[in-house]
Amino acid sequence: MSSLARATQSLEREGKTCEILISEERVLARVAELGREITRDYQGRDLDIVGVLKGCALFMSDLIRSIDLPLACDYLRVSSYDGGTESRGVVRFDLDVSQPVTGKHVLLVEDIIDTGLTMSYLLENLRTRHPASLAVCALLHKPARTIKPVPIDYLGFTIENHFVVGYGLDYAGRYRNLRHIAKLEDIA
Ligand code: 5GP
């Protein structure tokens, strides 16, 4: 049985349907393109990639292998969702970067920008530490849900207002290991 079929079965028991939105092939091709764009734009600069855990894990691991530059990786973690499908609108640092970002060329890597509250908080916070430059790379963006608009320098895909799982994104802690991006819907 495929991982999608297994996920579909288990989600049905929770009253949800699960359908592929972006295939593994499309995801990987786009991530490789983003890597090429970043490689081109950051020539001659040392890059500090800062991933927003936990959703960035799969995206970031593929992205950094597509970037042909000297780079360092760090991670931070904030909470903005409570394991469900709705934002609490509250952002809190659970884990900060392990190295100072002052004077560095920082690229923040995020799985999805939904309301924009998390990213706008992170940008504001990191700017106070005076990086040499600060840019954003997001795999997904849901413009229909925007509360705080944020600049996205590198974007994988724009999607409609779906709740999505897979390729690092979870629902109640699960389904991060799906290779594609799938949309969840309540069974009518
Ligand atoms: P924002 O602050 O932009 O509303 O939300 C950012 C965070 O919410 C993302 O990093 C992600 O963890 C979570 N999130 C937003 N939309 C989705 C979604 O469709 N699926 C999943 N799994 N998480 C989401």
Side-chain angles (χ1 to χ4, degrees):
M1 188 190 275
S2 72
S3 58
L4 177 65
R6 255 192 305 276
T8 305
Q9 259 189 7
S10 115
L11 281 160
E12 271 171 10
R13 287 195 289 273
E14 299 180 51
K16 305 240 177 238
T17 60
C18 168
E19 192 183 302
I20 295 185
L21 185 66
I22 310 172
S23 68
E24 178 183 9
E25 291 70 25
R26 281 185 66 208
V27 170
L28 294 180
R30 185 69 191 120
V31 173
E33 271 174 19
L34 291 174
R36 285 193 291 273
E37 286 174 35
I38 293 165
T39 303
R40 185 195 62 210
D41 295 351
Y42 282 86
Q43 287 296 320
R45 291 189 278 175
D46 277 356
L47 186 54
D48 263 66
I49 308 247
V50 175
V52 184
L53 291 171
K54 298 177 186 175
C56 75
L58 274 67
F59 175 39
M60 185 151 151
S61 73
D62 286 333
L63 183 70
I64 59 173
R65 284 180 288 180
S66 301
I67 300 175
D68 188 11
L69 290 173
L71 60 82
C73 294
D74 209 338
Y75 298 90
L76 55 79
R77 188 167 165 204
V78 285
S79 352
S80 56
Y81 272 69
D82 212 3
T85 60
E86 283 302 314
S87 173
R88 290 181 297 168
V90 177
V91 182
R92 194 187 65 201
F93 258 92
D94 293 334
L95 173 78
D96 206 344
V97 285
S98 63
Q99 298 295 320
V101 297
T102 310
K104 294 181 177 166
H105 294 287
V106 175
L107 179 64
L108 272 171
V109 174
E110 171 73 296
D111 52 359
I112 184 164
I113 296 183
D114 184 25
T115 62
L117 290 169
T118 307
M119 190 48 77
S120 87
Y121 172 84
L122 284 175
L123 288 172
E124 227 170 87
N125 183 292
L126 291 178
R127 266 191 211 114
T128 65
R129 309 181 197 190
H130 305 292
S133 66
L134 183 58
V136 173
C137 177
L139 178 66
L140 302 170
H141 180 218
K142 284 193 243 181
R145 297 254 310 161
T146 302
I147 293 174
K148 280 221 169 175
V150 286
I152 308 174
D153 303 272
Y154 303 94
L155 175 63
F157 303 92
T158 298
I159 61 168
E160 287 180 18
N161 186 13
H162 304 298
F163 187 82
V164 289
V165 295
Y167 198 62
L169 290 132
D170 74 311
Y171 169 62
R174 285 177 293 148
Y175 311 109
R176 292 190 197 274
N177 56 330
L178 294 177
R179 292 171 178 270
H180 47 264
I181 294 165
K183 62 174 179 176
L184 289 199
E185 266 162 21
D186 290 329
I187 294 172

PDB file of all heavy atoms in Angstrom, residues 136-148:
ATOM      1  N   VAL A 136      13.651  35.944   2.592  1.00  0.00           N
ATOM      2  CA  VAL A 136      12.713  34.868   2.939  1.00  0.00           C
ATOM      3  C   VAL A 136      12.553  33.911   1.765  1.00  0.00           C
ATOM      4  O   VAL A 136      12.360  34.331   0.623  1.00  0.00           O
ATOM      5  CB  VAL A 136      11.320  35.478   3.273  1.00  0.00           C
ATOM      6  CG1 VAL A 136      10.277  34.384   3.478  1.00  0.00           C
ATOM      7  CG2 VAL A 136      11.406  36.377   4.500  1.00  0.00           C
ATOM      8  N   CYS A 137      12.631  32.617   2.071  1.00  0.00           N
ATOM      9  CA  CYS A 137      12.329  31.578   1.091  1.00  0.00           C
ATOM     10  C   CYS A 137      11.222  30.709   1.670  1.00  0.00           C
ATOM     11  O   CYS A 137      11.396  30.115   2.743  1.00  0.00           O
ATOM     12  CB  CYS A 137      13.584  30.746   0.819  1.00  0.00           C
ATOM     13  SG  CYS A 137      13.297  29.377  -0.307  1.00  0.00           S
ATOM     14  N   ALA A 138      10.083  30.655   0.995  1.00  0.00           N
ATOM     15  CA  ALA A 138       8.962  29.839   1.489  1.00  0.00           C
ATOM     16  C   ALA A 138       8.553  28.856   0.409  1.00  0.00           C
ATOM     17  O   ALA A 138       8.516  29.200  -0.774  1.00  0.00           O
ATOM     18  CB  ALA A 138       7.786  30.736   1.862  1.00  0.00           C
ATOM     19  N   LEU A 139       8.224  27.651   0.822  1.00  0.00           N
ATOM     20  CA  LEU A 139       7.778  26.655  -0.155  1.00  0.00           C
ATOM     21  C   LEU A 139       6.382  26.998  -0.662  1.00  0.00           C
ATOM     22  O   LEU A 139       6.117  26.912  -1.855  1.00  0.00           O
ATOM     23  CB  LEU A 139       7.777  25.268   0.506  1.00  0.00           C
ATOM     24  CG  LEU A 139       7.283  24.126  -0.373  1.00  0.00           C
ATOM     25  CD1 LEU A 139       8.221  23.896  -1.543  1.00  0.00           C
ATOM     26  CD2 LEU A 139       7.098  22.858   0.438  1.00  0.00           C
ATOM     27  N   LEU A 140       5.490  27.402   0.263  1.00  0.00           N
ATOM     28  CA  LEU A 140       4.090  27.639  -0.108  1.00  0.00           C
ATOM     29  C   LEU A 140       3.604  28.971   0.439  1.00  0.00           C
ATOM     30  O   LEU A 140       4.064  29.424   1.485  1.00  0.00           O
ATOM     31  CB  LEU A 140       3.204  26.524   0.469  1.00  0.00           C
ATOM     32  CG  LEU A 140       3.532  25.085   0.073  1.00  0.00           C
ATOM     33  CD1 LEU A 140       2.729  24.112   0.922  1.00  0.00           C
ATOM     34  CD2 LEU A 140       3.245  24.845  -1.404  1.00  0.00           C
ATOM     35  N   HIS A 141       2.630  29.548  -0.268  1.00  0.00           N
ATOM     36  CA  HIS A 141       2.020  30.801   0.196  1.00  0.00           C
ATOM     37  C   HIS A 141       0.529  30.726  -0.081  1.00  0.00           C
ATOM     38  O   HIS A 141       0.119  30.299  -1.158  1.00  0.00           O
ATOM     39  CB  HIS A 141       2.635  31.987  -0.558  1.00  0.00           C
ATOM     40  CG  HIS A 141       2.085  33.315  -0.156  1.00  0.00           C
ATOM     41  ND1 HIS A 141       1.862  34.333  -1.052  1.00  0.00           N
ATOM     42  CD2 HIS A 141       1.712  33.792   1.050  1.00  0.00           C
ATOM     43  CE1 HIS A 141       1.388  35.388  -0.417  1.00  0.00           C
ATOM     44  NE2 HIS A 141       1.279  35.085   0.866  1.00  0.00           N
ATOM     45  N   LYS A 142      -0.261  31.131   0.938  1.00  0.00           N
ATOM     46  CA  LYS A 142      -1.722  31.155   0.772  1.00  0.00           C
ATOM     47  C   LYS A 142      -2.171  32.610   0.820  1.00  0.00           C
ATOM     48  O   LYS A 142      -2.557  33.113   1.878  1.00  0.00           O
ATOM     49  CB  LYS A 142      -2.392  30.421   1.938  1.00  0.00           C
ATOM     50  CG  LYS A 142      -2.319  28.921   1.877  1.00  0.00           C
ATOM     51  CD  LYS A 142      -3.283  28.309   2.901  1.00  0.00           C
ATOM     52  CE  LYS A 142      -2.552  27.516   3.931  1.00  0.00           C
ATOM     53  NZ  LYS A 142      -3.428  26.889   4.932  1.00  0.00           N
ATOM     54  N   PRO A 143      -2.125  33.333  -0.275  1.00  0.00           N
ATOM     55  CA  PRO A 143      -2.431  34.776  -0.242  1.00  0.00           C
ATOM     56  C   PRO A 143      -3.831  35.085   0.282  1.00  0.00           C
ATOM     57  O   PRO A 143      -4.036  36.138   0.894  1.00  0.00           O
ATOM     58  CB  PRO A 143      -2.279  35.224  -1.698  1.00  0.00           C
ATOM     59  CG  PRO A 143      -1.932  34.029  -2.489  1.00  0.00           C
ATOM     60  CD  PRO A 143      -1.759  32.860  -1.602  1.00  0.00           C
ATOM     61  N   ALA A 144      -4.781  34.181   0.069  1.00  0.00           N
ATOM     62  CA  ALA A 144      -6.169  34.448   0.500  1.00  0.00           C
ATOM     63  C   ALA A 144      -6.279  34.617   2.014  1.00  0.00           C
ATOM     64  O   ALA A 144      -7.242  35.193   2.506  1.00  0.00           O
ATOM     65  CB  ALA A 144      -7.075  33.316   0.040  1.00  0.00           C
ATOM     66  N   ARG A 145      -5.297  34.119   2.756  1.00  0.00           N
ATOM     67  CA  ARG A 145      -5.372  34.138   4.219  1.00  0.00           C
ATOM     68  C   ARG A 145      -4.556  35.272   4.850  1.00  0.00           C
ATOM     69  O   ARG A 145      -4.468  35.383   6.071  1.00  0.00           O
ATOM     70  CB  ARG A 145      -4.852  32.801   4.745  1.00  0.00           C
ATOM     71  CG  ARG A 145      -5.687  31.617   4.293  1.00  0.00           C
ATOM     72  CD  ARG A 145      -6.522  31.064   5.389  1.00  0.00           C
ATOM     73  NE  ARG A 145      -5.732  30.818   6.589  1.00  0.00           N
ATOM     74  CZ  ARG A 145      -6.257  30.676   7.792  1.00  0.00           C
ATOM     75  NH1 ARG A 145      -7.562  30.800   7.953  1.00  0.00           N
ATOM     76  NH2 ARG A 145      -5.483  30.423   8.829  1.00  0.00           N
ATOM     77  N   THR A 146      -3.962  36.099   4.007  1.00  0.00           N
ATOM     78  CA  THR A 146      -3.034  37.116   4.525  1.00  0.00           C
ATOM     79  C   THR A 146      -3.677  38.057   5.547  1.00  0.00           C
ATOM     80  O   THR A 146      -4.736  38.624   5.297  1.00  0.00           O
ATOM     81  CB  THR A 146      -2.466  37.972   3.355  1.00  0.00           C
ATOM     82  OG1 THR A 146      -1.824  37.092   2.456  1.00  0.00           O
ATOM     83  CG2 THR A 146      -1.467  39.012   3.859  1.00  0.00           C
ATOM     84  N   ILE A 147      -3.026  38.189   6.673  1.00  0.00           N
ATOM     85  CA  ILE A 147      -3.385  39.220   7.661  1.00  0.00           C
ATOM     86  C   ILE A 147      -2.272  40.275   7.661  1.00  0.00           C
ATOM     87  O   ILE A 147      -2.533  41.465   7.609  1.00  0.00           O
ATOM     88  CB  ILE A 147      -3.581  38.620   9.069  1.00  0.00           C
ATOM     89  CG1 ILE A 147      -4.810  37.695   9.087  1.00  0.00           C
ATOM     90  CG2 ILE A 147      -3.744  39.726  10.122  1.00  0.00           C
ATOM     91  CD1 ILE A 147      -5.016  36.925  10.381  1.00  0.00           C
ATOM     92  N   LYS A 148      -1.013  39.788   7.714  1.00  0.00           N
ATOM     93  CA  LYS A 148       0.140  40.692   7.633  1.00  0.00           C
ATOM     94  C   LYS A 148       0.923  40.348   6.373  1.00  0.00           C
ATOM     95  O   LYS A 148       1.553  39.282   6.311  1.00  0.00           O
ATOM     96  CB  LYS A 148       1.049  40.488   8.856  1.00  0.00           C
ATOM     97  CG  LYS A 148       0.584  41.184  10.092  1.00  0.00           C
ATOM     98  CD  LYS A 148       1.770  41.798  10.831  1.00  0.00           C
ATOM     99  CE  LYS A 148       1.274  42.722  11.923  1.00  0.00           C
ATOM    100  NZ  LYS A 148       2.346  43.254  12.730  1.00  0.00           N
TER     101      LYS A 148
END
